[in-house]
Amino acid sequence: MNTRRERVAWFCGGETLCEPIVHSAKAYRLVLLGPPGVGKGTQAELLCESLGTCHLSTGDIFRAAQCERKPSPALKQALAAMRRGELVSDDVVVAIVRERAGCLRCRGGFLLDGFPRTCAQAEALDILLAEQGVTLDAVLCYELPLEEIISRLGGRRTCQDCKAVYHTMTRPPQNKGVCDHCGGKLMQRDDDLHDSIRTRMRAYAERTRPLTDYYARSGHLVTVSASGTPQEILTRSLCSLKERLPKASTNSKSA
Ligand code: AP5
């Protein structure tokens, strides 16, 4: 079964919701946390296949907007910040997610990747969830030593069309430079260059890391080691979820 989603509502905003491919007994509502390059996007793809959730990535929205012919002034500022490796301002990010808040009601559940990234964004998410009448199940926080993260970022290649993620050594495509899923061209991201990586790591330590305390206090935090193969990390993530939500069936193909 093809479980890759077009995520039209997430990319375009507005009220039109996608038709979810529901194949799990429970609609999971999850947040992924962790430093840049730890493997959140990779796990998001695998978790979505296992749980039937929809992958909602704020980074993907910004990267898709790079192709717009006339980006708004706010979006231009956001794209410049992103290229430098800095965080986009809370006001802009929260406004963008608010325009897409209907995705939080998706019947298949959701997996937020890259949002929230600051305590102000986490508070805004709490309000959006309450407005949409849904609650969060868990926040999966991935951890990995810095040198492994740097090596993952250096070899990353991303499909310019469907955004699938590869690695030159650990997850190469079947044909060099070409996406296995859609045949699109694989590119290196602007913010995977050395200076931007340093800035992103600093932004994570100063502004995103405190979110682990925020979600530990609310009882949502589940810490997962991101060492090993993507499949091993997926199995670890699903086991952690089962422990946390024992009554829910993850309906997993891999755990
Ligand atoms: P975003 O797109 O969210 O990027 P990020 O958080 O920096 O995370 P990455 O996408 O870099 O890494 P990842 O953890 O998803 O790793 P991946 O799976 O690709 O945000 C980009 C920018 O947008 C931000 O810097 C900011 O400017 C802006 N932005 C977005 N949201 C924002 C917000 N809410 N507020 C403010 N600003 C915001 O894996 C990395 C590589 O490792 C890949 O090549 C992969 O194949 C490989 N890999 C993965 N798993 C494994 C494994 N187990 N073993 C070996 N290799 C692996």
Side-chain angles (χ1 to χ4, degrees):
M1 172 172 51
N2 177 14
T3 52
R4 289 183 67 78
R5 301 271 182 82
E6 298 302 324
R7 299 180 287 167
V8 176
W10 182 247
F11 282 115
C12 302
E15 280 303 304
T16 315
L17 287 184
C18 310
E19 192 47 48
I21 310 158
V22 180
H23 66 268
S24 175
K26 171 172 170 51
Y28 282 86
R29 300 191 179 98
L30 306 170
V31 167
L32 297 191
L33 264 190
V38 75
K40 300 181 298 294
T42 303
Q43 287 307 307
E45 204 179 305
L46 297 174
L47 283 163
C48 288
E49 279 174 18
S50 283
L51 303 176
T53 48
C54 194
H55 180 195
L56 308 180
S57 155
T58 39
D60 280 352
I61 294 178
F62 292 130
R63 280 182 288 279
Q66 278 170 334
C67 308
E68 277 182 24
R69 261 199 241 135
K70 280 191 182 166
S72 65
L75 201 49
K76 267 193 194 162
Q77 266 184 7
L79 291 173
M82 190 178 158
R83 266 192 290 274
R84 292 192 297 270
E86 293 166 8
L87 292 191
V88 176
S89 76
D90 287 340
D91 288 355
V92 170
V93 178
V94 170
I96 282 175
V97 176
R98 178 168 277 284
E99 278 170 17
R100 294 155 172 80
C103 291
L104 302 174
R105 277 186 279 114
C106 181
R107 279 199 299 125
F110 63 76
L111 220 164
L112 275 169
D113 167 12
F115 181 87
R117 238 181 172 97
T118 64
C119 289
Q121 291 180 22
E123 285 162 9
L125 176 62
D126 288 344
I127 293 170
L128 289 174
L129 290 169
E131 285 171 0
Q132 297 298 320
V134 293
T135 53
L136 211 53
D137 290 308
V139 174
L140 294 171
C141 180
Y142 291 100
E143 295 197 330
L144 193 70
L146 185 63
E147 58 276 20
E148 280 189 63
I149 290 180
I150 303 279
S151 135
R152 286 185 186 181
L153 285 174
R156 171 164 56 190
R157 299 293 180 271
T158 307
C159 175
Q160 66 177 9
D161 295 332
C162 76
K163 316 299 172 208
V165 176
Y166 298 85
H167 191 279
T168 49
M169 304 300 289
T170 59
R171 204 183 184 196
Q174 281 164 16
N175 297 308
K176 195 176 171 200
V178 181
C179 178
D180 294 345
H181 298 295
C182 73
K185 191 172 171 193
L186 302 187
M187 311 286 287
Q188 185 163 28
R189 274 169 45 174
D190 292 344
D191 58 350
D192 278 349
L193 303 174
H194 196 69
D195 280 354
S196 297
I197 291 179
R198 254 206 326 245
T199 311
R200 286 159 69 198
M201 290 301 174
R202 201 176 322 119
Y204 178 77
E206 289 171 5
R207 303 201 46 206
T208 309
R209 183 86 209 170
L211 279 184
T212 53
D213 290 339
Y214 184 94
Y215 285 118
R217 278 197 300 275
S218 67
H220 288 100
L221 190 72
V222 178
T223 304
V224 181
S225 161
S227 293
T229 65
Q231 208 57 39
E232 285 166 350
I233 302 162
L234 172 69
T235 303
R236 211 175 285 142
S237 305
L238 293 172
C239 287
S240 303
L241 277 180
K242 275 184 192 157
E243 276 168 27
R244 194 191 139 75
L245 308 163
K247 289 197 184 127
S249 153
T250 51
N251 207 15
S252 162
K253 290 179 279 181
S254 1

